[in-house]
Amino acid sequence: MTSWWDKQIQRADHLATRAGGSKELLTFYTHLLRAQKEVYESLRGRKDWLPSGDLEGDFPVLGEGLPSLLRVVESHGPTPIAIEAKALLESDPEVTREMLVRYWQSPSDIQFFGKASLQPYLKWLAETGARPLEREVSVGERHCPFCGGNPQVSVLQTQQANSESSNRSLICGTCLSSWEFRRVVCANCGEERPAKLGYFHSPEFDHVRIEACDTCKYYIKGVDLTRVGLAAPIVDEIDAAPLDLWAREHGYQKIELNLVGV
Ligand SMILES: [Zn+2]
Ligand SMILES: [Zn+2]
């Protein structure tokens, strides 16, 4: 059976070979996904251990798998984060632990290492049925019901094989789980008036669109799986980086930057 990680990796490998402007980002992401999968599998394969959801308590186990991820970033990442990876590898593990605890308590989409390291941990945590502990989480329908994170990408898919209608979900940028969300509503401020919600396509990306809100001026990208069933939303979202440029030029801000900083 193909794991969730393998599906992302296969899609990233495929898109990286034919990508235009986002080729470098996607190539880095193919390496990063493999490193994250390794962290996830080291947690999952650990004998007689399950995560408690208390990051400080779980860090001794999580921390063991992180140097390999840091080495991948040092070798393949863009210069600023490659330098940071090198510094973390050369410093005491306590520095990494403090950095993760800071992200745990107040996640930020510009804290690359916190997000990259904790996605595999939180994904496994969610699958084991535990809850994240010792952190304040945002609540409300636009936040992830598991970890309180911001949505990374919006996904449209057909509800049932025999149904004409499609439904919408959001994928969390912090823990990668998804939740159902109403179809015509801003994922940032809850605006529902159709006149305030704009959708922008480019012929280059037939199944990806910008979903922008003129009330709060935020946007999210939407991936339509009814058009390209093989798409992996968090990967296709990165591939469609030229759309982000368009959105920013038109005065919109992204709800949550993705792992490669777009
Ligand atoms: Zn989440
Ligand atoms: Zn809005």
Side-chain angles (χ1 to χ4, degrees):
M1 202 181 90
T2 311
S3 76
W4 183 88
W5 294 101
D6 290 328
K7 185 171 180 221
Q8 314 309 306
I9 291 166
Q10 284 164 12
R11 183 68 177 162
D13 282 345
H14 169 73
L15 291 176
T17 57
R18 60 149 213 43
S22 53
K23 195 178 183 73
E24 264 180 53
L25 294 174
L26 269 175
T27 303
F28 170 47
Y29 197 45
T30 63
H31 293 290
L32 190 57
L33 279 168
R34 285 181 167 85
Q36 287 187 300
K37 179 190 170 190
E38 223 177 278
V39 172
Y40 170 86
E41 286 186 341
S42 76
L43 297 173
R44 193 187 167 121
R46 183 93 173 186
K47 277 213 169 69
D48 303 321
W49 182 84
L50 281 176
S52 68
D54 169 22
L55 179 66
E56 302 229 31
D58 290 339
F59 181 76
V61 174
L62 172 62
E64 283 177 25
L66 295 182
S68 62
L69 185 143
L70 292 171
R71 279 192 289 274
V72 165
V73 177
E74 185 189 6
S75 307
H76 302 284
T79 309
I81 57 168
I83 291 171
E84 210 183 324
K86 185 171 190 292
L88 283 168
L89 279 165
E90 287 166 357
S91 62
D92 192 278
E94 181 62 16
V95 176
T96 305
R97 192 188 69 82
E98 282 174 11
M99 179 263 300
L100 293 189
V101 170
R102 271 198 306 279
Y103 179 86
W104 186 254
Q105 286 163 353
S106 84
S108 154
D109 61 0
I110 53 169
Q111 221 296 15
F112 170 81
F113 288 102
K115 194 172 187 176
S117 309
L118 289 177
Q119 277 181 343
Y121 168 74
L122 279 162
K123 183 155 178 51
W124 178 228
L125 191 68
E127 287 167 13
T128 62
R131 307 289 310 179
L133 304 173
E134 306 293 332
R135 63 193 295 261
E136 296 207 358
V137 294
S138 308
V139 289
E141 65 168 357
R142 72 163 207 89
H143 291 285
C144 169
F146 176 69
C147 80
N150 284 329
Q152 180 70 77
V153 60
S154 157
V155 184
L156 285 179
Q157 54 198 319
T158 309
Q159 208 154 7
Q160 281 153 356
N162 57 357
S163 161
E164 288 290 298
S165 68
S166 54
N167 70 351
R168 183 188 187 201
S169 56
L170 300 176
I171 296 180
C172 176
T174 310
C175 74
L176 303 169
S177 53
S178 61
W179 69 101
E180 275 186 35
F181 198 69
R182 287 174 295 147
R183 192 158 170 176
V184 185
V185 59
C186 169
N188 184 57
C189 74
E191 178 62 78
E192 296 176 8
R193 289 172 289 175
K196 294 286 183 186
L197 302 169
Y199 301 97
F200 304 98
H201 264 116
S202 133
E204 202 187 337
F205 305 100
D206 183 46
H207 65 303
V208 186
R209 65 182 187 179
I210 294 284
E211 302 175 353
C213 172
D214 277 323
T215 300
C216 67
K217 301 301 263 181
Y218 274 83
Y219 78 94
I220 190 167
K221 290 221 286 293
V223 175
D224 188 346
L225 295 180
T226 68
R227 285 168 187 259
V228 178
L230 279 174
I234 61 161
V235 180
D236 288 62
E237 197 267 330
I238 290 175
D239 183 46
L243 294 180
D244 292 274
L245 198 62
W246 181 92
R248 276 197 294 273
E249 279 170 357
H250 286 77
Y252 299 108
Q253 193 176 343
K254 201 172 191 182
I255 295 175
E256 172 86 5
L257 295 177
N258 60 35
L259 203 43
V260 297
V262 174

